[in-house]
Amino acid sequence: MPASSEMAHEKAQSHISTIPKSEVPNRDDGSTSFSAADTPQIVRNKVPMRRKLLTPNPDGEEPFDNIEEAQVLPQIFISNNTYTYVERVALFCDHIIGQCSAEDVDEAISFYIIEKLASKRSWTAVWKTSPEVLLVNCDIGDLPFVGVLVDVNCTPCEGKTLPLRVSVSVAEPYSSNIANLPRELVEDVLREHDYSVPILDVYPIQGLGADVDNIAEYLEHARFFYDFLWRDWDDEEECDEYAGLIEKRIQLYYDIQDGTIPGPISERYRKTLEEYRSKRLDLTKFQTKIRGEALPGEAVECWKKYYEMSMLCGLLKFWEDLRLRSHGPFYPRIYKRRKGQRTSGRIVTHIVAQIMTTDMIKNFSQDTLIQQHDSLSAALDSCFSGDTVVVFPGEYHAVALASLTDDITIKGEGERKEVVFYSDPSHDNFVASKASKVMLMNLTLVQHGTCDGIVVVESGQLTLDNCVLKCQGTGVCVLTGASLVMKNCEISGAKGAGVELYPGSVAELHRNEIHHCSNQLAKDSKGSQGGINLKVLPQPQLKLTDNHIHNNHGFGVTILVPDNLYKASEEDLEQTASGDKNETDYLSKALQKLSLEITTNKLESNTKGDIGLLRKMWVNS
C-alpha cells in the first residue's frame, strides 16, 4: 500500500492508550487469562480487506480459468510544481489546519479535498493497494503496489468513516501492472467493500483536463501531509497549537531536503521513524491475533511490544523538538568505562608506526617507557590515564577516537598535514571525549560520513592544538558542562557552525581560523549558524583571542536565544540583523549577559555580519 494511504489508514483505524488493569479472570480450561484492559489497547473501526489466494488448487488447476490479460496502466498525473517552505506553511498551517486540533485534522483534510471534488465528480484513475490485499503465496519480488485502472465516482459513500472514500468500478479496458491478475479477483475484493476505496489510494491519470489535474494535485498535498507531517501519536496527546507543530515539521522536512541536516543524520532519523512504524504495526497485528481474554504470556508480550514502540516514540519526539539542527540530537554515546592509571603508576609512550627506528625515539628521555603499535586503534586500546600516543606520518582510520575516556595526549610527529586521521562512515562519532583531560596535537582530521560533529566534547576538557579539521557534517560541539581549549587550529567545511557551544559549556579559542562553515544549500538563510554558535540558557562561557573568522554562511559569531528571552519588535530585530545605524541594544544586552571575552579577532566576509542575535524556539516550551 502506498505509504501515505497506509499511514492515513492506521491513523483512522488505531488509537493506543493505556487502560487501568482489571481483575484477572480464568478461562474455561482453568488457565489464568488477562482481560483486554490488561494490555495496551488498539481500537479499530475498519475491517481489513480479506486476502485472496492465487495458488493452484489440489487438482493442479489454476484458480481462475480463461484469465483476461490486463493491459498496461496509463501514466498517472504528476505535477511539475515545486513548493517552498513558506508556501507549504501557508497551505497546511493557515488554509487546511488553522485552529484544528490533531483529532480533527482528518476532517480538515477531507474537507479540503471535497472542495476540489465538486469541480469534477467522475474521472479515471489508477487504484493502488498493497500486494497483500490481493496476492498471497505469490512470488511478486519487490512489487511496491498492485495497480488497477478504475472509474471513480466522487459521490460521498454513506456510512463510511474517515479517511474519505470514493466509489470505484473496474475501468475499460481492463488494465493493471500485473498482466495475469484475474479481473474476477479484483471484482470480488471491491464487491466486499461496496466498491469503495480510500480516496488517497486513487491516482488520476494524465490527460483528463485541468479540473482533474487540480484534483490530483490536491490529493498529492494530502499524501504529503500523511507521509511527512503526520505522526501516529499526534491525536493521542494534547497540543494547544497543532498548526505550530506542523510548521516545525515542515521546516524539518526542508532542512533534510536542502542539506541543512547532513545526510547521515537524516538517514538515522528516517530509519528510526520506520522502526517505530514497524513496531506499531507489529503490536497491532499481535493484538489482532488474541482471541478472547489474553493469557499471561500474551499480556507480557503485548506490553513488551508496547514499551519498545514507546521508547522509539520518545526518541523521535526528542529529535523533533530539537529539530535535529545540523547534527541531530546529542545524548551520551560513550559507554566505555574509564581505566584510570596503571596499578604500577607507570606512564607509557605509545609509538604508532609500521616500523620503529632509533631516530624516532632519539628525543625521548632514557627512562621513557615505549610501546610500539602498527595501528592507532591498538595504541588507544593499550592506553591508561597519563599515557601519550605519538603518531608518525601516514593515513589512519580512527575508529577508537569515538570513545576517549582516559586522560591521554595524542600528537602527530612532523607536519600536521602529514598525520591524517579519517573517520569511519559506519560510526556516529569521529572524535568524542568524556575524559577529564584529553589533548590532540599536530593532526589533520578528515570527516567522512559520521553523523555527529567532527569533535564532540561530552564532558571534561578537550584541548586541540595545531590541528586541521576538515568537516563534512558539523564542526566542534561542546556539550553542557564540558570545556574546550582550541589554539592554532583551522576548521572548514562544516554544514553547521564551525564551533557550537551548548548551554553551560566553556570554550577558549586562540589564534584559530574558522572559515566556509554553515555551507548548507538552504534557500532560507535565516537559520544559518555561521562560524561560532552559542546557545543561551544557561549561558556558555567563551574567550576569543586573535582568531580569524571569515567567509562563513551567517554571522561570524551567532548568539542563539529563545524567543522569550529578549522582547523586541520585528522591526528592531531586522535592524539588529542588518547592522542599521539605529539598531537596538538587544545585541549589546545579550553580550553583556554572556561571559564573553572577545579581543583582537578578525571577523570578515561573513554573509550576515560579524556578530548577530538569532532568536529561535530551540528549547521546549
Side-chain angles (χ1 to χ4, degrees):
M1 182 179 295
S4 56
S5 302
E6 185 175 355
M7 280 185 285
H9 292 171
E10 288 183 8
K11 177 194 178 314
Q13 294 166 20
S14 62
H15 182 94
I16 296 182
S17 60
T18 305
I19 301 176
K21 292 184 177 181
S22 62
E23 296 181 1
V24 180
N26 293 324
R27 291 187 170 181
D28 294 338
D29 59 5
S31 61
T32 304
S33 65
F34 282 69
S35 71
D38 288 299
T39 60
Q41 297 299 298
I42 295 184
V43 181
R44 302 171 192 81
N45 56 16
K46 175 177 177 293
V47 179
M49 289 186 174
R50 186 178 65 191
R51 300 179 185 177
K52 299 289 184 177
L53 295 178
L54 284 183
T55 55
N57 62 30
D59 297 328
E61 300 175 353
E62 293 296 327
F64 293 93
D65 296 326
N66 302 321
I67 295 178
E68 175 187 358
E69 184 170 341
Q71 296 190 20
V72 177
L73 288 171
Q75 291 292 324
I76 63 173
F77 174 81
I78 299 177
S79 173
N80 293 323
N81 295 332
T82 58
Y83 295 89
T84 65
Y85 163 76
V86 174
E87 290 171 333
R88 295 273 194 199
V89 170
L91 173 63
F92 289 105
C93 301
D94 299 333
H95 179 61
I96 298 179
I97 298 176
Q99 300 300 317
C100 285
S101 66
E103 294 180 350
D104 299 327
V105 75
D106 258 343
E107 186 175 353
I109 294 288
S110 296
F111 181 77
Y112 168 74
I113 296 174
I114 289 172
E115 278 186 313
K116 182 53 61 177
L117 293 180
S119 63
K120 190 76 172 178
R121 290 293 185 181
S122 300
W123 30 274
T124 305
V126 174
W127 170 45
K128 295 183 180 182
T129 189
S130 172
E132 65 180 10
V133 171
L134 294 163
L135 310 175
V136 175
N137 298 334
C138 292
D139 184 12
I140 58 175
D142 297 326
L143 187 69
F145 65 89
V146 174
V148 177
L149 189 66
V150 295
D151 290 324
V152 179
N153 187 331
C154 297
T155 303
C157 298
E158 298 296 333
K160 299 294 183 182
T161 59
L162 295 173
L164 186 67
R165 301 171 72 85
V166 290
S167 298
V168 299
S169 59
V170 178
E172 298 295 345
Y174 175 60
S175 306
S176 174
N177 60 336
I178 301 178
N180 62 344
L181 179 68
R183 180 170 183 158
E184 293 85 349
L185 176 61
V186 177
E187 295 281 5
D188 285 348
V189 171
L190 289 176
R191 189 178 301 111
E192 290 177 4
H193 292 268
D194 300 326
Y195 288 93
S196 72
V197 299
I199 193 169
L200 294 186
D201 284 1
V202 295
Y203 296 74
I205 64 173
Q206 64 182 13
L208 298 182
D211 288 340
V212 178
D213 291 350
N214 289 335
I215 291 174
E217 195 149 4
Y218 270 50
L219 294 178
E220 280 305 309
H221 288 317
R223 295 188 190 102
F224 179 88
F225 176 83
Y226 288 115
D227 280 342
F228 300 107
L229 306 181
W230 171 260
R231 302 292 181 264
D232 294 314
W233 59 79
D234 280 357
D235 57 358
E236 298 164 9
E237 301 175 351
E238 294 184 2
C239 180
D240 296 332
E241 281 290 339
Y242 187 62
L245 178 63
I246 293 301
E247 182 176 353
K248 292 181 180 180
R249 289 181 184 159
I250 295 173
Q251 182 65 63
L252 174 62
Y253 169 81
Y254 279 95
D255 284 348
I256 291 174
Q257 294 299 312
D258 61 26
T260 300
I261 297 172
I265 290 293
S266 304
E267 183 66 12
R268 190 169 70 193
Y269 174 78
R270 183 188 65 80
K271 288 182 178 179
T272 304
L273 184 58
E274 286 182 354
E275 186 179 1
Y276 164 79
R277 289 170 176 165
S278 176
K279 294 286 186 183
R280 186 182 181 102
L281 184 60
D282 188 34
L283 173 60
T284 304
K285 290 180 177 179
F286 182 81
Q287 290 187 312
T288 304
K289 294 178 181 178
I290 298 177
R291 295 290 181 263
E293 306 297 344
L295 292 170
E298 293 173 330
V300 170
E301 184 65 18
C302 196
W303 279 110
K304 177 184 175 183
K305 293 179 181 296
Y306 175 75
Y307 283 122
E308 287 176 350
M309 182 193 71
S310 298
M311 291 286 287
L312 293 171
C313 177
L315 179 58
L316 288 167
K317 289 179 185 177
F318 177 64
W319 278 6
E320 291 189 358
D321 285 344
L322 294 176
R323 290 198 33 229
L324 292 179
R325 298 208 35 82
S326 58
H327 45 65
F330 273 132
Y331 49 88
R333 302 188 188 280
I334 300 179
Y335 301 103
K336 179 181 174 182
R337 296 191 63 185
R338 174 184 171 90
K339 290 182 181 178
Q341 292 186 331
R342 290 180 179 80
T343 54
S344 64
R346 293 183 175 182
I347 303 298
V348 174
T349 297
H350 303 267
I351 303 293
V352 180
Q354 292 296 321
I355 300 175
M356 188 170 69
T357 64
T358 55
D359 286 340
M360 292 179 177
I361 59 174
K362 63 182 180 181
N363 295 325
F364 292 1
S365 62
Q366 293 183 349
D367 59 348
T368 301
L369 296 178
I370 298 174
Q371 186 174 356
Q372 187 262 334
H373 305 273
D374 293 335
S375 68
L376 177 63
S377 295
L380 293 175
D381 289 342
S382 300
C383 279
F384 287 79
S385 287
D387 288 0
T388 297
V389 178
V390 180
V391 185
F392 281 81
E395 296 182 349
Y396 302 88
H397 290 281
V399 176
L401 289 175
S403 54
L404 300 177
T405 56
D406 285 285
D407 301 343
I408 61 174
T409 298
I410 304 172
K411 62 181 181 180
E413 188 70 19
E415 297 290 332
R416 65 184 186 182
K417 64 181 180 181
E418 298 175 339
V419 184
V420 184
F421 292 173
Y422 291 95
S423 63
D424 187 335
S426 64
H427 286 65
D428 287 340
N429 292 343
F430 187 176
V431 179
S433 170
K434 64 179 297 184
S436 300
K437 191 173 183 180
V438 171
M439 182 176 291
L440 304 182
M441 304 171 58
N442 214 35
L443 304 168
T444 294
L445 305 179
V446 181
Q447 185 182 27
H448 284 318
T450 51
C451 294
D452 295 338
I454 191 169
V455 174
V456 180
V457 191
E458 286 193 6
S459 61
Q461 183 182 87
L462 175 70
T463 298
L464 294 170
D465 188 358
N466 193 37
C467 294
V468 176
L469 284 70
K470 298 181 179 181
C471 310
Q472 192 179 68
T474 315
V476 180
C477 299
V478 189
L479 304 192
T480 301
S483 175
L484 169 72
V485 176
M486 188 170 73
K487 49 190 178 182
N488 305 309
C489 294
E490 179 185 355
I491 300 178
S492 64
K495 291 294 187 293
V499 177
E500 188 148 13
L501 304 181
Y502 274 64
S505 60
V506 178
E508 296 184 17
L509 278 61
H510 308 291
R511 300 180 300 279
N512 302 290
E513 183 181 6
I514 303 173
H515 62 97
H516 294 95
C517 292
S518 199
N519 284 333
Q520 71 270 16
L521 302 177
K523 297 178 182 178
D524 181 9
S525 62
K526 293 182 179 179
S528 300
Q529 300 171 56
I532 301 174
N533 192 322
L534 293 83
K535 294 184 176 72
V536 178
L537 286 180
Q539 295 89 352
Q541 300 179 36
L542 174 63
K543 292 183 180 180
L544 286 175
T545 307
D546 298 325
N547 297 282
H548 188 195
I549 305 173
H550 64 95
N551 293 104
N552 296 290
H553 193 74
F555 294 104
V557 178
T558 303
I559 302 171
L560 187 67
V561 299
D563 288 338
N564 57 357
L565 184 59
Y566 304 108
K567 300 296 183 182
S569 67
E570 290 297 326
E571 181 180 358
D572 289 337
L573 291 177
E574 290 176 3
Q575 291 174 345
T576 302
S578 63
D580 192 278
K581 293 181 180 179
N582 297 320
E583 69 180 13
T584 67
D585 61 348
Y586 289 100
L587 178 59
S588 61
K589 287 181 180 179
L591 293 173
Q592 291 172 6
K593 287 180 175 293
L594 294 172
S595 299
L596 300 181
E597 296 182 20
I598 304 179
T599 56
T600 63
N601 297 280
K602 186 177 182 181
L603 289 81
E604 61 179 354
S605 300
N606 299 293
T607 60
K608 298 183 72 174
D610 295 342
I611 303 176
L613 201 65
L614 183 62
R615 300 160 66 86
K616 267 190 177 180
M617 284 303 296
W618 58 269
V619 295
N620 293 334
S621 56

